[in-house]
């Protein structure tokens, strides 16, 4: 069973390493991953903010998501959703995404947006996201990322 819990400040390095391993799952080379390192590094302050949530199985961290404030009070951002490569395809991503959507609804957000890795966009689209455009990568000049949104109802059910 996969359980969700709040991240702790002392888990920043563990979370950052997991993000890089998960990004590497898509076949990126070392130079690309190094270019993404700063954007995928999580601080102790971020991990203790209440906006970073970990997925655990049998006491091991197997993924995480992070939420951020959007451009308007009723909009949020899914800043990250990463799964340990060894368990990709086992349902952890779905647990994380449902948790993030439920928390977004709890915060009374009407939209939850994200800039998806092109390899992961299909996952979000299968779970109800819609593509609304493209945005430039924060790490790699000239690279464009799919901009996706989840339209949220008032229900807390994910």
């Amino acid at each position: 069973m996969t359980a969700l819990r709040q991240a702790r400040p002392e888990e920043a390095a563990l979370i950052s390493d997991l993000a890089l391993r998960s990004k590497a799952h898509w076949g990126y080379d070392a130079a690309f991953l190094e270019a993404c390192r700063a954007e995928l590094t999580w601080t102790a302050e971020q991990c203790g903010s209440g906006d970073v949530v970990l997925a655990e199985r049998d006491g091991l961290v197997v993924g995480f998501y992070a939420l951020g404030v959007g451009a308007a009070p009723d909009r949020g951002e899914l800043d990250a959703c990463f799964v340990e490569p060894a368990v990709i395809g086992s349902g952890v991503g779905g647990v994380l995404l449902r948790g993030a959507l439920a928390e977004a609804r709890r915060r009374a957000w009407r939209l939850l947006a994200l800039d998806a890795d092109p390899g992961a966009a299909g996952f979000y689209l299968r779970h109800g996201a819609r593509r609304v455009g493209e945005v430039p990568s924060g790490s790699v000049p000239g690279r464009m990322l799919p901009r996706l949104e989840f339209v949220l109802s008032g229900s807390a059910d994910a």
Side-chain angles (χ1 to χ4, degrees), residues 81-134:
C81 186
F82 289 102
V83 176
E84 186 66 56
V87 298
I88 288 176
S90 71
V92 173
V95 169
L96 286 164
L97 183 57
R98 287 188 297 277
L101 292 170
E103 178 59 20
R105 288 182 181 99
R106 191 192 70 71
R107 294 179 185 197
W109 292 342
R110 293 181 338 131
L111 285 174
L112 183 65
L114 68 138
D115 303 334
D117 185 284
F123 166 79
Y124 297 111
L125 294 169
R126 284 191 302 278
H127 283 86
R130 64 180 183 183
R131 187 177 178 130
V132 295
E134 288 186 333

Coordinates of all heavy atoms in Angstrom, one line a residue, residues 81-134:
C81 N 5.9 16.2 -9.7 CA 5.3 14.9 -9.4 C 6.3 13.9 -9.9 O 6.4 13.7 -11.1 CB 4.0 14.8 -10.0 SG 3.1 13.3 -9.5
F82 N 7.1 13.3 -9.0 CA 8.1 12.4 -9.4 C 8.0 11.0 -8.7 O 7.6 11.0 -7.5 CB 9.5 12.9 -9.1 CG 9.9 14.1 -10.0 CD1 9.8 15.4 -9.5 CD2 10.3 13.9 -11.3 CE1 10.1 16.5 -10.3 CE2 10.7 14.9 -12.1 CZ 10.6 16.2 -11.6
V83 N 8.2 10.0 -9.5 CA 8.1 8.6 -8.9 C 9.5 7.9 -9.1 O 10.2 8.1 -10.1 CB 7.0 7.8 -9.7 CG1 7.0 6.4 -9.3 CG2 5.7 8.5 -9.5
E84 N 9.8 7.1 -8.1 CA 11.1 6.3 -8.1 C 11.0 5.4 -9.3 O 10.0 4.7 -9.5 CB 11.2 5.5 -6.8 CG 12.5 4.8 -6.7 CD 13.7 5.7 -6.5 OE1 13.7 6.5 -5.6 OE2 14.6 5.5 -7.3
P85 N 12.0 5.4 -10.2 CA 12.0 4.7 -11.5 C 11.6 3.2 -11.3 O 10.9 2.6 -12.1 CB 13.4 4.8 -12.1 CG 13.8 6.1 -11.6 CD 13.2 6.3 -10.2
A86 N 12.1 2.6 -10.2 CA 11.8 1.1 -10.0 C 10.3 0.8 -9.8 O 9.9 -0.3 -10.0 CB 12.6 0.6 -8.8
V87 N 9.5 1.8 -9.4 CA 8.1 1.6 -9.2 C 7.2 2.3 -10.2 O 6.0 2.3 -10.0 CB 7.7 1.9 -7.8 CG1 8.4 1.0 -6.8 CG2 7.8 3.3 -7.4
I88 N 7.8 2.9 -11.2 CA 6.9 3.6 -12.3 C 6.1 2.5 -12.9 O 6.5 1.4 -13.2 CB 7.8 4.3 -13.3 CG1 8.4 5.5 -12.7 CG2 7.0 4.6 -14.6 CD1 9.4 6.3 -13.6
G89 N 4.8 2.8 -13.0 CA 3.8 1.8 -13.6 C 3.1 1.0 -12.6 O 2.3 0.2 -12.9
S90 N 3.4 1.2 -11.3 CA 2.8 0.4 -10.2 C 1.7 1.1 -9.5 O 1.2 0.6 -8.5 CB 3.9 -0.1 -9.2 OG 4.3 1.0 -8.4
G91 N 1.3 2.3 -10.0 CA 0.2 3.0 -9.3 C 0.6 4.1 -8.4 O -0.2 4.9 -8.0
V92 N 1.9 4.3 -8.1 CA 2.4 5.4 -7.3 C 2.0 6.7 -7.8 O 1.6 7.6 -7.1 CB 3.9 5.3 -7.0 CG1 4.4 6.5 -6.2 CG2 4.2 4.0 -6.2
G93 N 2.3 6.9 -9.1 CA 2.0 8.2 -9.8 C 0.5 8.6 -9.6 O 0.2 9.7 -9.3
G94 N -0.4 7.6 -9.8 CA -1.8 7.9 -9.6 C -2.2 8.3 -8.2 O -3.0 9.2 -8.0
V95 N -1.5 7.6 -7.2 CA -1.8 7.9 -5.8 C -1.3 9.4 -5.6 O -2.0 10.2 -4.9 CB -1.1 7.0 -4.9 CG1 -1.1 7.5 -3.4 CG2 -1.7 5.6 -5.0
L96 N -0.1 9.7 -6.1 CA 0.4 11.1 -5.9 C -0.5 12.1 -6.6 O -0.9 13.1 -6.0 CB 1.8 11.2 -6.5 CG 2.9 10.6 -5.7 CD1 4.2 10.4 -6.5 CD2 3.2 11.4 -4.4
L97 N -0.9 11.9 -7.8 CA -1.8 12.8 -8.5 C -3.1 13.0 -7.9 O -3.6 14.1 -7.7 CB -1.9 12.4 -10.0 CG -2.7 13.4 -10.8 CD1 -2.1 14.8 -10.8 CD2 -2.8 12.8 -12.3
R98 N -3.7 11.9 -7.4 CA -5.0 12.0 -6.7 C -4.9 12.8 -5.5 O -5.7 13.6 -5.1 CB -5.6 10.6 -6.5 CG -6.2 10.0 -7.8 CD -7.0 8.7 -7.5 NE -6.1 7.6 -6.9 CZ -5.4 6.8 -7.6 NH1 -5.3 6.9 -8.9 NH2 -4.7 5.9 -7.0
G99 N -3.8 12.6 -4.7 CA -3.5 13.3 -3.5 C -3.3 14.8 -3.8 O -3.9 15.7 -3.1
A100 N -2.6 15.1 -4.9 CA -2.4 16.5 -5.2 C -3.7 17.2 -5.7 O -4.0 18.3 -5.3 CB -1.4 16.6 -6.4
L101 N -4.5 16.5 -6.4 CA -5.8 17.1 -6.8 C -6.7 17.3 -5.6 O -7.4 18.3 -5.5 CB -6.5 16.2 -7.9 CG -5.7 16.1 -9.2 CD1 -6.3 15.0 -10.1 CD2 -5.8 17.5 -9.9
A102 N -6.7 16.3 -4.7 CA -7.6 16.5 -3.5 C -7.1 17.6 -2.7 O -7.9 18.4 -2.2 CB -7.5 15.2 -2.7
E103 N -5.8 17.8 -2.5 CA -5.3 19.0 -1.8 C -5.6 20.3 -2.5 O -5.9 21.3 -1.8 CB -3.8 18.8 -1.6 CG -3.1 20.0 -0.8 CD -3.7 20.2 0.6 OE1 -4.3 19.3 1.2 OE2 -3.5 21.3 1.1
A104 N -5.5 20.3 -3.8 CA -5.9 21.5 -4.6 C -7.3 21.9 -4.3 O -7.6 23.0 -4.1 CB -5.6 21.3 -6.0
R105 N -8.2 20.9 -4.3 CA -9.6 21.1 -4.0 C -9.8 21.6 -2.6 O -10.6 22.5 -2.3 CB -10.4 19.9 -4.3 CG -10.6 19.5 -5.7 CD -11.5 18.3 -5.9 NE -11.6 18.0 -7.3 CZ -10.9 17.0 -7.9 NH1 -10.0 16.3 -7.3 NH2 -11.1 16.8 -9.2
R106 N -9.1 21.0 -1.7 CA -9.2 21.5 -0.3 C -8.8 22.9 -0.1 O -9.3 23.7 0.7 CB -8.3 20.6 0.6 CG -8.5 20.8 2.1 CD -7.5 20.2 3.0 NE -6.2 20.8 2.9 CZ -5.9 22.0 3.4 NH1 -6.8 22.7 4.0 NH2 -4.7 22.5 3.3
R107 N -7.8 23.4 -1.0 CA -7.4 24.8 -0.9 C -8.3 25.7 -1.8 O -8.0 26.9 -1.9 CB -5.9 24.9 -1.5 CG -4.9 24.2 -0.6 CD -3.5 24.3 -1.2 NE -2.6 23.5 -0.4 CZ -1.3 23.6 -0.5 NH1 -0.7 24.5 -1.3 NH2 -0.5 22.9 0.3
A108 N -9.4 25.1 -2.3 CA -10.4 25.8 -3.0 C -9.8 26.4 -4.3 O -10.3 27.4 -4.8 CB -11.0 26.9 -2.2
W109 N -8.9 25.7 -4.9 CA -8.4 26.1 -6.3 C -9.4 25.5 -7.3 O -9.8 24.4 -7.2 CB -7.0 25.5 -6.5 CG -5.9 26.1 -5.7 CD1 -6.0 27.3 -5.0 CD2 -4.6 25.6 -5.4 NE1 -4.8 27.6 -4.3 CE2 -4.0 26.5 -4.6 CE3 -4.0 24.5 -5.8 CZ2 -2.7 26.3 -4.1 CZ3 -2.7 24.3 -5.4 CH2 -2.0 25.2 -4.6
R110 N -9.6 26.3 -8.3 CA -10.5 25.8 -9.4 C -9.7 25.2 -10.6 O -10.2 24.4 -11.3 CB -11.3 27.0 -10.0 CG -12.4 27.5 -8.9 CD -13.2 28.6 -9.4 NE -12.6 29.3 -10.5 CZ -13.3 29.6 -11.7 NH1 -14.5 29.3 -11.9 NH2 -12.7 30.3 -12.6
L111 N -8.4 25.6 -10.6 CA -7.5 25.0 -11.7 C -6.2 24.6 -11.0 O -5.7 25.3 -10.1 CB -7.2 26.1 -12.7 CG -8.2 26.4 -13.7 CD1 -7.8 27.6 -14.6 CD2 -8.5 25.2 -14.6
L112 N -5.7 23.5 -11.5 CA -4.3 23.1 -11.1 C -3.5 22.9 -12.4 O -3.9 22.1 -13.2 CB -4.3 21.7 -10.3 CG -3.0 21.3 -9.8 CD1 -2.4 22.3 -8.8 CD2 -3.0 19.9 -9.2
A113 N -2.5 23.7 -12.6 CA -1.8 23.7 -13.8 C -0.4 23.1 -13.6 O 0.1 23.1 -12.5 CB -1.6 25.2 -14.4
L114 N 0.2 22.7 -14.7 CA 1.6 22.2 -14.6 C 2.3 22.3 -16.0 O 1.6 22.3 -17.0 CB 1.6 20.7 -14.2 CG 1.1 19.7 -15.1 CD1 1.9 18.4 -15.2 CD2 -0.3 19.3 -14.7
D115 N 3.6 22.4 -15.9 CA 4.4 22.3 -17.1 C 5.0 20.9 -17.1 O 5.8 20.5 -16.3 CB 5.6 23.3 -17.0 CG 5.0 24.7 -16.9 OD1 3.9 25.0 -17.3 OD2 5.7 25.6 -16.3
A116 N 4.6 20.0 -18.0 CA 4.9 18.6 -18.0 C 6.1 18.3 -18.8 O 6.4 18.9 -19.8 CB 3.7 17.8 -18.5
D117 N 6.9 17.3 -18.3 CA 7.9 16.7 -19.1 C 7.1 16.1 -20.3 O 6.1 15.4 -20.1 CB 8.6 15.6 -18.4 CG 9.8 15.1 -19.2 OD1 9.5 14.2 -20.1 OD2 10.9 15.4 -18.9
P118 N 7.6 16.2 -21.5 CA 6.9 15.6 -22.7 C 6.7 14.1 -22.5 O 5.6 13.6 -22.9 CB 7.9 15.9 -23.9 CG 8.6 17.1 -23.5 CD 8.8 17.0 -22.0
G119 N 7.6 13.4 -21.9 CA 7.4 12.0 -21.7 C 6.3 11.6 -20.7 O 5.7 10.6 -20.7
A120 N 6.0 12.6 -19.8 CA 5.0 12.3 -18.8 C 3.6 12.9 -19.1 O 2.6 12.7 -18.4 CB 5.4 12.9 -17.4
A121 N 3.5 13.7 -20.2 CA 2.3 14.4 -20.5 C 1.1 13.5 -20.7 O 0.0 13.7 -20.3 CB 2.5 15.3 -21.8
G122 N 1.4 12.3 -21.3 CA 0.3 11.4 -21.6 C -0.3 10.9 -20.3 O -1.5 10.6 -20.2
F123 N 0.5 10.7 -19.2 CA 0.0 10.3 -17.9 C -1.0 11.3 -17.4 O -2.1 10.9 -17.0 CB 1.2 10.2 -16.9 CG 0.8 10.1 -15.5 CD1 0.3 8.9 -15.0 CD2 0.8 11.2 -14.7 CE1 -0.1 8.8 -13.6 CE2 0.4 11.1 -13.3 CZ 0.0 9.9 -12.8
Y124 N -0.7 12.6 -17.5 CA -1.6 13.6 -17.0 C -2.9 13.7 -17.8 O -4.0 13.9 -17.3 CB -0.9 15.0 -16.9 CG 0.2 15.0 -15.9 CD1 1.6 15.0 -16.4 CD2 0.0 14.9 -14.6 CE1 2.6 15.0 -15.5 CE2 1.1 14.8 -13.7 CZ 2.4 14.9 -14.1 OH 3.4 14.9 -13.2
L125 N -2.7 13.6 -19.2 CA -3.8 13.6 -20.1 C -4.8 12.5 -19.8 O -6.0 12.7 -19.8 CB -3.4 13.7 -21.5 CG -2.6 14.9 -21.9 CD1 -2.0 14.7 -23.3 CD2 -3.5 16.2 -21.9
R126 N -4.3 11.3 -19.5 CA -5.1 10.1 -19.2 C -5.9 10.3 -17.9 O -6.9 9.7 -17.7 CB -4.3 8.9 -19.1 CG -3.8 8.3 -20.5 CD -3.2 6.9 -20.4 NE -2.1 6.8 -19.5 CZ -0.8 7.2 -19.8 NH1 -0.6 7.6 -21.0 NH2 0.2 7.0 -19.0
H127 N -5.3 11.2 -17.0 CA -6.0 11.4 -15.7 C -6.9 12.7 -15.8 O -7.3 13.2 -14.7 CB -4.9 11.5 -14.6 CG -4.4 10.2 -14.2 ND1 -3.4 9.5 -14.8 CD2 -4.9 9.3 -13.2 CE1 -3.2 8.4 -14.3 NE2 -4.1 8.2 -13.3
G128 N -7.1 13.2 -17.0 CA -8.1 14.3 -17.1 C -7.6 15.7 -17.3 O -8.3 16.6 -17.4
A129 N -6.3 15.8 -17.4 CA -5.7 17.1 -17.7 C -6.1 17.5 -19.2 O -6.3 16.6 -20.0 CB -4.2 17.2 -17.6
R130 N -6.0 18.8 -19.5 CA -6.2 19.2 -20.9 C -4.9 20.1 -21.2 O -4.4 20.8 -20.4 CB -7.5 20.0 -21.0 CG -7.5 21.3 -20.2 CD -8.7 22.1 -20.4 NE -8.6 23.3 -19.6 CZ -9.5 24.2 -19.4 NH1 -10.7 24.1 -20.0 NH2 -9.3 25.3 -18.7
R131 N -4.5 20.0 -22.5 CA -3.4 20.7 -22.9 C -3.9 22.1 -23.3 O -4.8 22.3 -24.0 CB -2.8 20.1 -24.1 CG -1.5 20.7 -24.5 CD -0.8 20.0 -25.7 NE 0.4 20.7 -26.1 CZ 1.6 20.2 -26.2 NH1 1.7 18.9 -26.1 NH2 2.6 20.9 -26.6
V132 N -3.2 23.2 -22.7 CA -3.6 24.5 -23.0 C -2.5 25.4 -23.7 O -2.7 26.5 -23.9 CB -4.0 25.2 -21.7 CG1 -5.3 24.6 -21.1 CG2 -2.9 25.2 -20.6
G133 N -1.4 24.7 -24.0 CA -0.3 25.5 -24.7 C 1.0 24.9 -24.4 O 1.2 23.7 -24.1
E134 N 2.1 25.7 -24.6 CA 3.4 25.3 -24.4 C 4.1 26.4 -23.7 O 3.7 27.6 -23.8 CB 4.2 25.1 -25.7 CG 3.8 23.9 -26.5 CD 4.7 23.7 -27.7 OE1 5.3 24.7 -28.2 OE2 4.9 22.5 -28.0

